[in-house]
């Protein structure tokens, strides 16, 4: 009996995090956490309300245009959208009017909550230095910044998924407050799976882990554990069935048509690390992975949620391999499907870094303290120095969510870079750079909601001015795919209907630009881009009058009164 108690004490001491150097008093660490949280919030809020809606964000808009909430409830759609977010957007559209900001607000709130809650949760287990470094890595993570600003469910499911794991850990281990923790697990797990069905394996992992642990549970306690497990397992299964079975049974083709299409390969598995770490540098990625490896054992020993979380990530990965969803060969797709791994990875980096700094600082002396501080800052400095965020968030930029910025953080591996450079670029854009930066607003048409045909990032970078979509619906076409009608249900601030002169004036549009059709190689042959709307050029000339600039690539019309040097592009 004495030996058993001694062994238990040794194991408990070994599993506890080692004490860290008292570099700052508790209030100092608290102030640092606040500063880091504010800095991370600033990155997420920077030009937030001014971003153009792009790519997959339009899937929900197309659902709102065509379907009612009842129809959405029973169909996942071929173009992947989140059913509850589609229903939310429909509700907003049919009450106060849907804007880009309204669509993205739930993700922003969850992204900000993640920035605060995750470091606070780990602080009590790993200490203030680790919590501050972890918070800093979360704050500057490009994927977490981008997905906090994108009208897709990833920032929400990331937060709900880890809350589900934490709630289940409390439910399984606490002697008091179990009912509340159990309800929290049921609600967050079901909500995450409904928001994005690929989240289901991750949020169900705690249940599977608990079932597996029954085999090592003493026989006398097994029945009680089974009863407690069923008390959350059955309600979770019922709620998930209520929200997931109707679309699976009513429209199975929606899932079938986008499954069994693409396959992960070695390039995918390598590229995903660059996406998670948000760096194009192999040296920086290798350094962070090494630090994470050094911290992994500590995470595993002291954070029970890490064990269920790793199981959930493995199960999600196996589900992706088995189902082979559309675009799953892309590192970015796998990175966002397995996004819950990102905070776990960054936590391991933070712990490995602090452990190494602790070793260097012991025994404590001024030179060792300085060296330890340099090591503690190393991953932050390395990742920040290679970060794509300065380019993504440069001013002005209404195209921060364009895939050219994050399809792959390695420029040589990003097909959007050469693709967009192949689009003809008019000297008009360079001419606008003679004006003060950000002093002009340009409405460009035709707009393409899919990034690969929308060259606005290059137009903004070359001109130093803001470029917004000029919508043709109502001007020369009745309704164009990838545009919203002039309807009070849609109050998009970062697009303008060219048929509405009053709206052009309210939005402060200085120029309307018409991109002429051009030829691009596609599937081995040249096809005209913009050929389907070429007839609109005549309407543009009739509507806006004599151009102030024209070349082989575009026509530009001046709307507002000229400012000093504004017509330098003539």
């Amino acid at each position: 009996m004495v030996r058993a108690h001694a062994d238990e004490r040794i194991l408990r001491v070994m599993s506890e995090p080692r004490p860290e150097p008292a570099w700052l008093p508790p209030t100092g660490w608290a102030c640092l956490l606040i500063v880091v949280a504010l800095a991370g919030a600033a990155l997420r809020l920077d030009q937030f309300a001014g971003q153009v809606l792009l790519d997959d964000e339009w899937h929900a808009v197309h659902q709102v245009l065509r379907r009612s909430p009842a129809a959405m409830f029973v169909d996942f759609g071929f173009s992947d959208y989140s059913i509850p977010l589609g229903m939310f957007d429909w509700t907003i559209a049919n009450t106060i009017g849907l804007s880009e900001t309204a669509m993205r607000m739930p993700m922003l709130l969850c992204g900000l909550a993640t920035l605060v809650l995750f470091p606070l949760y780990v602080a009590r287990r790993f200490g203030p230095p680790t919590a501050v470094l972890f918070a800093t890595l979360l704050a500057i993570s490009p994927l977490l910044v981008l997905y906090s600003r994108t009208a897709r469910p990833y920032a929400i499911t990331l937060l709900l998924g880890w809350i589900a794991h934490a709630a289940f850990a409390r439910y399984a281990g606490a002697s008091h407050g179990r009912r509340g923790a159990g309800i929290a697990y049921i609600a967050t797990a079901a909500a995450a799976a409904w928001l994005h069905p690929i989240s289901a394996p991750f949020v169900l992992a705690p249940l599977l882990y608990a079932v597996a642990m029954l085999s090592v549970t003493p026989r006398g306690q097994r029945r009680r554990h089974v009863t407690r497990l069923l008390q959350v397992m059955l309600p979770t299964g019922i709620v998930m069935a209520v929200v997931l079975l109707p679309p699976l049974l009513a429209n199975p083709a929606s899932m079938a048509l986008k499954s069994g299409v693409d396959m992960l390969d070695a390039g995918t598995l390598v590229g995903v690390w660059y996406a998670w770490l948000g760096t194009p540098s192999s040296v920086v990625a290798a350094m962070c992975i090494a630090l994470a490896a050094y911290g992994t054992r500590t995470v595993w020993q002291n954070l029970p949620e890490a064990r269920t979380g790793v199981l959930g990530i493995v199960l999600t990965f196996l589900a992706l391999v088995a189902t082979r969803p559309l675009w799953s060969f892309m590192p970015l797709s796998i990175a966002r499907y397995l996004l819950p791994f990102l905070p776990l990875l960054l936590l391991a980096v933070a712990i490995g870094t602090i452990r190494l700094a602790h070793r260097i600082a012991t025994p404590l002396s001024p030179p060792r303290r300085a060296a330890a501080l340099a090591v503690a800052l190393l991953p932050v400095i390395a990742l920040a120095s290679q970060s794509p965020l300065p380019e993504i968030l440069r001013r002005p930029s209404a195209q921060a969510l364009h895939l050219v910025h994050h399809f792959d953080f390695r420029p040589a591996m990003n097909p959007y870079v050469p693709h967009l450079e192949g689009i003809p670029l008019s000297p008009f854009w360079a001419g606008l750079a003679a004006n003060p930066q950000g002093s002009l607003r340009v409405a460009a048409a035709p707009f393409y909601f899919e990034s690969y045909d929308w060259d606005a990032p290059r137009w903004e970078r070359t001109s130093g001015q803001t470029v917004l979509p000029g919508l043709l619906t109502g001007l020369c076409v009745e309704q164009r795919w990838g545009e919203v009608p002039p309807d009070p249900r849609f109050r998009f601030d970062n697009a303008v209907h060219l048929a509405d002169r009053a709206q052009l004036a309210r939005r402060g549009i200085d120029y309307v630009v018409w991109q002429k059709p051009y030829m691009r190689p596609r599937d081995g042959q040249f096809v005209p881009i913009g050929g389907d709307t070429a007839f609109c050029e005549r309407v543009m000339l009739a509507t806006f009058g004599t151009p102030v600039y024209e070349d082989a690539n575009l026509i530009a019309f001046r709307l507002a009164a000229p400012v000093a040097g504004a017509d330098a592009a003539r």
Side-chain angles (χ1 to χ4, degrees):
M1 180 68 71
V2 174
R3 174 64 180 273
H5 284 299
D7 289 345
E8 182 180 347
R9 182 183 177 188
I10 291 171
L11 288 172
R12 186 171 65 251
V13 171
M14 288 177 63
S15 67
E16 291 175 352
R18 294 184 178 184
E20 297 165 338
W23 294 336
L24 286 174
T27 54
W29 291 116
C31 289
L32 270 182
L33 271 176
I34 293 172
V35 169
V36 169
L38 291 174
L43 289 175
R44 286 150 177 79
L45 288 166
D46 185 73
Q47 303 178 84
F48 172 77
Q51 297 306 307
V52 171
L53 209 68
L54 288 169
D55 295 301
D56 291 357
E57 294 183 300
W58 275 88
H59 295 336
V61 178
H62 293 151
Q63 293 293 326
V64 172
L65 283 167
R66 296 182 300 157
R67 295 185 174 183
S68 67
M72 293 183 204
F73 184 75
V74 294
D75 192 0
F76 289 115
F78 175 71
S79 294
D80 190 24
Y81 80 105
S82 172
I83 290 176
L85 288 181
M87 297 168 70
F88 169 80
D89 293 338
W90 186 95
T91 302
I92 297 296
N94 286 274
T95 51
I96 62 174
L98 187 65
S99 67
E100 301 96 334
T101 298
M103 290 183 67
R104 293 167 176 152
M105 189 56 66
M107 299 78 191
L108 177 64
L109 295 176
C110 288
L112 294 175
T114 295
L115 195 58
V116 174
L117 296 178
F118 283 21
L120 291 178
Y121 190 79
V122 304
R124 60 192 178 93
R125 287 187 171 92
F126 301 109
T130 296
V132 169
L133 181 53
F134 178 45
T136 306
L137 295 175
L138 291 173
I140 65 172
S141 167
L143 277 192
L144 295 184
V145 170
L146 289 168
Y147 288 146
S148 295
R149 300 156 58 93
T150 304
R152 296 288 288 154
Y154 311 121
I156 308 177
T157 54
L158 173 69
L159 177 64
L160 293 182
W162 279 113
I163 289 178
H165 281 258
F168 188 86
R170 179 172 178 79
Y171 174 80
S175 56
H176 300 287
R178 288 176 183 164
R179 177 175 296 180
I183 293 172
Y185 170 77
I186 295 165
T188 53
W194 193 27
L195 281 158
H196 200 195
I198 195 61
S199 301
F202 181 73
V203 296
L204 291 175
L207 298 178
L208 298 178
Y209 187 87
V211 170
M213 293 303 293
L214 289 175
S215 62
V216 297
T217 302
R219 186 180 298 272
Q221 301 178 17
R222 194 170 299 172
R223 183 172 182 177
R224 180 170 59 89
H225 280 271
V226 169
T227 301
R228 290 178 55 203
L229 185 56
L230 289 175
Q231 288 174 347
V232 293
M233 183 179 287
L234 291 177
T236 302
I238 291 170
V239 176
M240 284 191 179
V242 166
V243 295
L244 295 179
L245 282 182
L248 284 173
L249 297 177
N251 291 286
S254 293
M255 281 293 190
L257 289 174
K258 54 191 175 187
S259 301
V261 179
D262 291 315
M263 184 179 296
L264 292 76
D265 56 25
T268 310
L269 299 179
V270 170
V272 71
W273 294 95
Y274 293 89
W276 280 327
L277 293 168
T279 180
S281 170
S282 298
V283 173
V284 172
M287 180 196 72
C288 290
I289 292 170
L291 289 170
Y294 189 50
T296 295
R297 182 179 178 184
T298 304
V299 176
W300 191 262
Q301 289 177 335
N302 295 283
L303 189 66
E305 295 86 344
R307 301 165 210 165
T308 57
V310 168
L311 175 61
I313 291 159
V314 170
L315 292 174
T316 306
F317 178 77
L318 293 177
L320 292 171
V321 172
T323 57
R324 297 169 51 204
L326 193 65
W327 308 117
S328 58
F329 68 93
M330 295 168 18
L332 178 64
S333 294
I334 301 304
R336 64 194 183 200
Y337 290 152
L338 300 179
L339 195 63
F341 180 68
L342 176 52
L344 201 58
L345 171 64
L346 296 182
L347 177 60
V349 171
I351 290 173
T353 302
I354 296 300
R355 282 191 64 196
L356 184 59
H358 183 202
R359 282 183 174 275
I360 292 172
T362 306
L364 202 60
S365 66
R368 285 180 173 272
R369 183 190 292 267
L373 179 61
V375 169
L377 294 175
L378 183 60
V380 173
I381 294 172
L383 289 171
S385 66
Q386 297 289 326
S387 176
L389 287 177
E391 171 61 20
I392 294 173
L393 300 178
R394 61 178 167 71
R395 289 177 176 268
S397 175
Q399 326 295 328
L401 301 179
H402 196 288
L403 278 172
V404 72
H405 297 307
H406 65 281
F407 183 90
D408 197 309
F409 293 129
R410 300 166 294 173
M413 303 299 291
N414 188 342
Y416 277 75
V417 174
H419 180 86
L420 293 179
E421 289 176 351
I423 297 177
L425 183 66
S426 170
F428 170 80
W429 299 107
L432 290 183
N435 300 280
Q437 188 174 18
S439 63
L440 299 175
R441 291 167 66 83
V442 182
F447 167 63
Y448 298 96
F449 75 92
E450 294 168 314
S451 288
Y452 52 75
D453 284 329
W454 179 241
D455 199 18
R458 197 160 55 133
W459 299 337
E460 287 190 332
R461 185 173 62 251
T462 303
S463 67
Q465 313 301 338
T466 301
V467 178
L468 301 179
L471 306 184
L472 299 175
T473 297
L475 179 73
C476 55
V477 294
E478 182 178 351
Q479 176 64 59
R480 186 164 177 259
W481 183 250
E483 296 186 0
V484 292
D487 184 317
R489 293 181 301 160
F490 300 99
R491 301 180 179 273
F492 285 4
D493 299 314
N494 306 311
V496 60
H497 285 93
L498 297 182
D500 189 339
R501 296 301 290 261
Q503 189 180 77
L504 288 166
R506 287 196 307 272
R507 301 283 166 79
I509 300 300
D510 298 284
Y511 286 93
V512 170
V513 166
W514 172 254
Q515 177 84 0
K516 295 181 178 180
Y518 58 92
M519 304 297 290
R520 287 299 302 265
R522 180 173 292 176
D523 298 329
Q525 56 184 329
F526 281 85
V527 296
I529 303 300
D532 58 327
T533 54
F535 64 92
C536 289
E537 182 176 320
R538 297 190 302 273
V539 181
M540 299 278 287
L541 290 167
T543 302
F544 297 107
T546 304
V548 296
Y549 181 94
E550 181 173 4
D551 62 20
N553 300 317
L554 62 73
I555 303 173
F557 304 91
R558 190 71 163 91
L559 297 188
V563 295
D567 289 329
R570 286 194 193 210

